[in-house]
């Protein structure tokens, strides 16, 4: 009997302690709390949050489908901050459907029509996603997800960077702060209150899911205290175009913004009256909301705005460039990206980090050397959210501004730097000495930068093959002396090129490479490619207005390559490769276009830590 009483008392004490559990912090980080760790006790439910827009044609404010996962203690008065992730992917995608544009045509031609696909919605209420939950709920956070407009069980239309993709997460954050209404059902009036929320929200996610935190932050919504975007697409123009050139994201040759629209369009199953949207003899009285979205967004706004003929920057693209919307932003920004991400390229993160820093916002940036995705180490993220969401004074605002994973280090072991780019990096200008069709020289001396050299476009040759070729007329290649010491590049390289085309339009591809090319079994992602860039010479004067080239006439253009931070090891040479069509990224016109470069007026500027002094020490 005595043992039974002891067990009963101990059980009661444990239950009381569990009910009274609170977040615990050590060394400035939220710790896993045993009472929050048992997922069998978590409360999981879903709801719909009403927004301030109607984009699906039903005459009602769109509602976003939201799920919530929270510790049981929040039912008894405990309030916690929220980690929030939103996505268009949760309810399914078009997968490998053949919906890309055909890229084998001349520049400036109207492309052939492409295929479309229907996405079949998946998922079962109340769970939208399980992401973030096991990381943050045990550490004293509530995790919230939402399907973005027009996907899953959310109302609205997918707009791929349109205003509703900023206002939708804003509405969810407003609901978490008691400023917007949530409902138990999609069309009902029974309200749901976020009584368990402190009102402090942090957002995170990768790729498109990393874009949405930035989109929400640009609204300046109160309560969004901090964001951790990972490899975010911050401008759909920069994702699908490059300096006026139609240029695909790496791995997705022929993708464009309307393709991504089809890829994510998993919502819109409900019917609405057909109010003249379709006037082609179809006598349907009702149409799906998805059909309405297709007609108004994909087949009208996108069809008119994306412009695969010229590749110019216009109002359509400007409206999907978050750099233009940053003025209201006040959330603390911890940015994360990979320098070898050739899908969402590293300029996407750098341009936003740079602007946010200039605005005086709290910022840090984490770069690793790998490809797409990859969040900062848990310690860095934990300190960020612990300070800005829980209000713990852990000194995170005094931590180094930049964390760079060095070439042979683990992602979890970045090197701290004062900032990115490295403040000690200085621009060094290189000149081009002739050598085609063999290999010319990159030199600090312009005395031999004379003459003109010509390459012939042929997409049959890959960039890798061209960089390794000792003799070819399909690229121009200029290399530095062999490095006797390591050289640290940090920042944005830029090229000024004066060139002429034998046709009215020509692809222009520029790579910085590390030679000799490593093609062994142990080749690392940091070998060979330093950085790269692409441009349309027709946009030599303006990004918004291209003009056909006069064959044989020389035009001068300056543009940036992708940001980088890389140590080029001694024994290597830095090479500048200029070629035309890039068969992994650009349109692929018939081979034969000639591109002639004026060497005297062409230079490449590279940011090197220690500047010209460090470089001279490395090559002398």
């Amino acid at each position: 009997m005595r043992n039974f009483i002891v067990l009963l008392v101990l059980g009661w004490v444990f239950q009381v302690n569990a009910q009274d559990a609170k977040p615990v912090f050590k060394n400035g980080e939220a710790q896993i709390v045993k009472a929050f760790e048992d997922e069998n006790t978590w409360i999981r439910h879903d709801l719909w949050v009403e927004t301030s827009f109607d984009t699906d044609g039903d005459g009602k404010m769109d509602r976003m489908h939201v799920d919530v996962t929270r510790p049981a203690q929040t039912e008894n008065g405990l309030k916690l901050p929220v980690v929030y992730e939103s996505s268009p992917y949760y309810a399914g995608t078009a997968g490998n459907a053949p919906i890309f544009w055909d890229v084998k045509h001349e520049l400036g031609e109207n492309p052939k029509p492409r295929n479309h696909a229907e996405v079949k919605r998946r998922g079962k209420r109340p769970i939208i996603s399980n992401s973030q939950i096991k990381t943050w709920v045990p550490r004293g956070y509530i995790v919230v997800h939402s399907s973005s407009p027009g996907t899953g069980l959310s109302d609205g239309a997918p707009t791929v960077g349109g205003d509703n993709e900023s206002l939708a997460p804003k509405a969810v954050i407003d609901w978490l702060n008691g400023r917007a209404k949530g409902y138990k059902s999609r069309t009902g009036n029974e309200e749901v209150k976020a009584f368990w929320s402190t009102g402090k929200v942090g957002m995170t996610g990768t790729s498109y899911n990393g874009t949405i935190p930035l989109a929400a932050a640009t609204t300046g919504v109160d309560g969004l205290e901090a964001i951790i975007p990972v490899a975010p697409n911050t401008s759909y123009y920069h994702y699908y175009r490059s300096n006026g050139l139609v240029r695909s994201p790496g791995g997705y040759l022929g993708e464009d913004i309307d393709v991504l629209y089809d890829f994510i369009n998993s919502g819109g199953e409900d019917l609405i009256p057909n109010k003249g949207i379709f006037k082609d003899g179809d006598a349907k009285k009702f149409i799906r909301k998805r059909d309405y979205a297709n007609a108004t967004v994909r087949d009208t706004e996108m069809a008119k705005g994306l412009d695969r003929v010229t590749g110019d920057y216009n109002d359509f693209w400007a409206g999907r460039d978050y750099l233009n919307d940053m003025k209201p932003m006040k959330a603390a920004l911890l940015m994360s990206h990979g320098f070898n991400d050739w899908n969402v390229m590293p300029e996407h993160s750098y341009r936003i980090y740079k602007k946010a820093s200039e605005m005086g916002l709290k910022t840090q940036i984490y770069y690793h050397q790998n490809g797409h995705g990859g969040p900062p180490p848990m310690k860095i993220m934990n300190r960020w959210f612990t300070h800005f969401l829980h209000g713990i004074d852990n000194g995170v605002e005094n931590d180094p501004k930049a964390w760079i994973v060095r070439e042979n280090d683990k992602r979890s072991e970045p090197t701290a730097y004062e900032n990115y780019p490295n403040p000690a990096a200085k621009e060094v200008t290189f000149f081009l000495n002739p050598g085609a069709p063999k290999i010319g020289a990159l030199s600090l001396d312009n005395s031999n930068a004379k003459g003109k050299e010509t390459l012939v476009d042929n997409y049959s040759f890959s960039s890798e093959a061209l960089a390794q070729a000792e003799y070819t007329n399909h690229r121009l290649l200029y290399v530095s002396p062999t490095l006797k010491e390591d050289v640290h590049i940090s920042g944005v390289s830029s090229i000024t090129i004066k060139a002429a085309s034998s046709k009215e339009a020509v692809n222009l591809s520029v790579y910085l490479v590390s030679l000799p090319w490593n093609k062994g079994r142990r080749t690392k992602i940091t070998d060979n490619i330093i950085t790269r860039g692409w441009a349309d010479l027709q946009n030599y004067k303006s990004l918004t207005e291209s003009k056909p080239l006069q064959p044989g006439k020389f035009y001068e253009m300056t543009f940036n390559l992708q940001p980088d931070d890389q140590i080029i090891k001694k024994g290597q040479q830095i090479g500048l490769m200029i070629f035309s069509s890039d068969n992994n990224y650009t349109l692929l016109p018939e081979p034969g276009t000639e591109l002639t470069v004026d060497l005297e007026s062409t230079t490449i500027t590279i940011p090197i830590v220690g500047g010209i002094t460090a470089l001279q020490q490395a090559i002398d």
Side-chain angles (χ1 to χ4, degrees):
M1 183 68 179
R2 182 180 299 171
N3 290 340
F4 174 76
I5 294 173
V6 170
L7 289 173
L8 188 66
V9 170
L10 288 174
W12 178 81
V13 169
F14 175 79
Q15 185 176 16
V16 169
N17 288 340
Q19 290 176 349
D20 292 341
K22 294 180 180 180
V24 174
F25 307 97
K26 183 179 179 182
N27 298 324
E29 299 177 52
Q31 303 296 300
I32 292 175
V33 177
K34 190 170 183 60
F36 299 158
E37 196 174 14
D38 184 0
E39 58 189 83
N40 294 315
T41 66
W42 294 345
I43 298 171
R44 305 194 72 170
H45 55 99
D46 66 343
L47 65 140
W48 279 262
V49 170
E50 189 168 88
T51 69
S52 58
F53 55 83
D54 170 27
T55 55
D56 58 15
D58 66 356
K60 303 174 183 177
M61 294 297 101
D62 295 341
R63 292 183 180 183
M64 297 300 105
H65 188 212
V66 176
D67 79 3
V68 178
T69 303
R70 52 192 174 93
Q73 292 79 4
T74 58
E75 198 69 14
N76 299 312
L78 178 63
K79 293 187 175 185
L80 296 172
V82 171
V83 172
Y84 171 28
E85 182 176 10
S86 182
S87 176
Y89 298 139
Y90 291 144
T93 67
N96 294 320
I99 56 178
F100 286 17
W101 288 96
D102 181 5
V103 297
K104 289 188 176 181
H105 62 81
E106 298 301 309
L107 277 68
E109 283 187 356
N110 280 304
K112 294 184 294 186
R114 66 175 185 85
N115 298 324
H116 299 294
E118 284 278 320
V119 180
K120 184 177 181 180
R121 181 177 61 82
R122 70 182 185 211
K124 187 175 181 180
R125 296 180 56 198
I127 296 171
I128 295 176
S129 174
N130 288 310
S131 69
Q132 311 296 340
I133 293 174
K134 291 184 178 179
T135 299
W136 297 109
V137 173
R139 289 178 167 85
Y141 295 87
I142 294 162
V143 172
V144 168
H145 304 98
S146 70
S147 290
S148 60
T151 69
L153 295 177
S154 285
D155 295 335
T159 58
V160 192
D163 288 344
N164 67 340
E165 291 191 1
S166 300
L167 295 173
K170 176 185 182 298
V172 174
I173 295 166
D174 280 335
W175 172 70
L176 290 166
N177 281 274
R179 298 187 298 265
K181 291 185 177 181
Y183 297 94
K184 279 194 172 182
S185 64
R186 194 169 187 174
T187 58
N189 296 315
E190 186 177 354
E191 290 192 33
V192 179
K193 303 285 187 180
F195 59 86
W196 30 259
S197 169
T198 64
K200 291 186 179 294
V201 181
M203 292 189 71
T204 190
T206 297
S207 198
Y208 208 140
N209 301 15
T211 299
I212 295 173
L214 176 63
T218 62
T219 69
V221 60
D222 290 336
L224 182 56
E225 304 296 329
I227 60 175
I228 308 177
V230 180
N233 182 338
T234 66
S235 164
Y236 285 91
Y237 183 84
H238 289 76
Y239 190 57
Y240 292 116
R241 307 288 183 268
S242 183
N243 301 297
L245 196 70
V246 175
R247 192 263 298 139
S248 301
Y252 302 94
L253 189 62
E255 185 183 326
D256 211 325
I257 193 167
D258 59 335
V259 175
L260 184 54
Y261 168 94
D262 279 347
F263 186 74
I264 65 173
N265 192 7
S266 61
E269 299 164 321
D270 297 342
L271 297 178
I272 57 173
N274 182 3
K275 297 180 180 179
I277 295 297
F278 299 100
K279 300 178 181 179
D280 56 359
D282 191 338
K284 290 181 181 178
K285 292 184 178 180
F286 295 91
I287 59 172
R288 297 177 306 168
K289 290 182 177 180
R290 185 181 296 193
D291 299 323
Y292 175 88
N294 291 343
T296 57
V297 178
R298 184 191 68 195
D299 300 336
T300 302
E301 182 187 8
M302 288 183 174
K304 291 179 178 178
L306 64 86
D307 186 8
R308 285 185 68 82
V309 175
T310 73
D312 291 350
Y313 190 76
N314 56 28
D315 289 343
F316 170 81
W317 294 113
R320 287 164 167 79
D321 185 341
Y322 293 106
L323 189 68
N324 299 331
D325 299 332
M326 286 184 65
K327 188 175 180 180
M329 181 172 164
K330 53 195 177 187
L333 170 67
L334 170 57
M335 186 66 83
S336 179
H337 216 138
F339 282 124
N340 288 285
D341 185 348
W342 301 110
N343 174 5
V344 181
M345 299 187 192
E347 66 180 336
H348 284 270
S349 55
Y350 175 61
R351 61 204 298 269
I352 299 299
Y353 169 75
K354 182 173 182 287
K355 179 63 175 180
S357 298
E358 292 169 352
M359 291 169 59
L361 300 180
K362 301 296 184 183
T363 57
Q364 284 185 26
I365 195 162
Y366 166 84
Y367 275 120
H368 57 79
Q369 300 291 342
N370 295 102
H372 191 51
M378 184 61 197
K379 179 180 180 67
I380 295 176
M381 292 193 294
N382 196 339
R383 285 175 58 78
W384 201 253
F385 279 163
T386 294
H387 177 71
F388 290 105
L389 303 189
H390 279 291
I392 300 301
D393 185 8
N394 58 11
V396 71
E397 66 274 25
N398 300 317
D399 287 352
K401 293 271 288 180
W403 304 89
I404 310 292
V405 180
R406 293 270 48 102
E407 288 72 8
N408 296 311
D409 292 344
K410 299 177 181 177
R411 283 192 191 180
S412 58
E413 299 173 355
T415 299
Y417 290 93
E418 182 181 342
N419 208 341
Y420 178 79
N422 191 312
K426 306 297 179 185
E427 293 184 346
V428 178
T429 299
F430 293 82
F431 302 91
L432 282 54
N433 296 347
K438 295 182 179 180
I439 299 173
L442 268 188
S443 173
L444 298 176
D445 181 3
N446 67 350
S447 60
N448 292 319
K450 298 175 182 178
K452 299 175 177 64
E453 296 195 318
T454 299
L455 65 90
V456 180
D457 183 26
N458 190 335
Y459 68 79
S460 299
F461 295 89
S462 69
S463 58
E464 294 84 358
L466 293 175
Q468 295 175 70
E470 294 182 8
Y471 187 107
T472 177
N473 67 343
H474 299 305
R475 60 94 180 105
L476 302 177
L477 180 60
Y478 307 91
V479 302
S480 73
T482 300
L483 303 180
K484 297 176 182 177
E485 296 180 12
D486 294 351
V487 168
H488 185 176
I489 295 173
S490 181
V492 180
S493 298
S494 66
I495 186 169
T496 295
I497 186 169
K498 189 172 184 179
S501 169
S502 62
K503 291 186 178 180
E504 291 185 345
V506 63
N507 287 317
L508 177 56
S509 303
V510 176
Y511 280 31
L512 273 185
V513 295
S514 177
L515 300 173
W517 195 272
N518 186 351
K519 53 184 178 181
R521 288 189 303 109
R522 297 182 180 179
T523 301
K524 301 190 298 293
I525 196 169
T526 50
D527 293 341
N528 305 325
I529 301 293
I530 299 174
T531 184
R532 42 191 166 188
W534 303 263
D536 185 347
L537 200 56
Q538 295 178 105
N539 293 87
Y540 71 99
K541 272 191 175 181
S542 168
L543 199 58
T544 59
E545 188 177 354
S546 58
K547 294 183 179 181
L549 304 174
Q550 181 180 327
K553 181 179 178 179
F554 282 84
Y555 300 86
E556 186 173 285
M557 185 178 188
T558 298
F559 60 93
N560 291 337
L561 280 58
Q562 290 297 317
D564 193 30
D565 193 293
Q566 189 170 337
I567 295 174
I568 313 302
K569 302 301 289 184
K570 66 179 181 179
Q572 294 292 107
Q573 294 173 286
I574 298 171
L576 169 65
M577 183 169 72
I578 301 170
F579 62 114
S580 185
S581 297
D582 187 335
N583 60 17
N584 286 319
Y585 297 93
T586 69
L587 298 180
L588 306 178
E590 281 294 315
T593 302
E594 294 184 352
L595 180 67
T596 301
V597 176
D598 182 340
L599 302 188
E600 190 172 358
S601 300
T602 299
T603 58
I604 179 78
T605 300
I606 304 174
I608 294 176
V609 174
I612 194 168
T613 301
L615 180 68
Q616 286 176 328
Q617 289 176 350
I619 62 178
D620 287 346

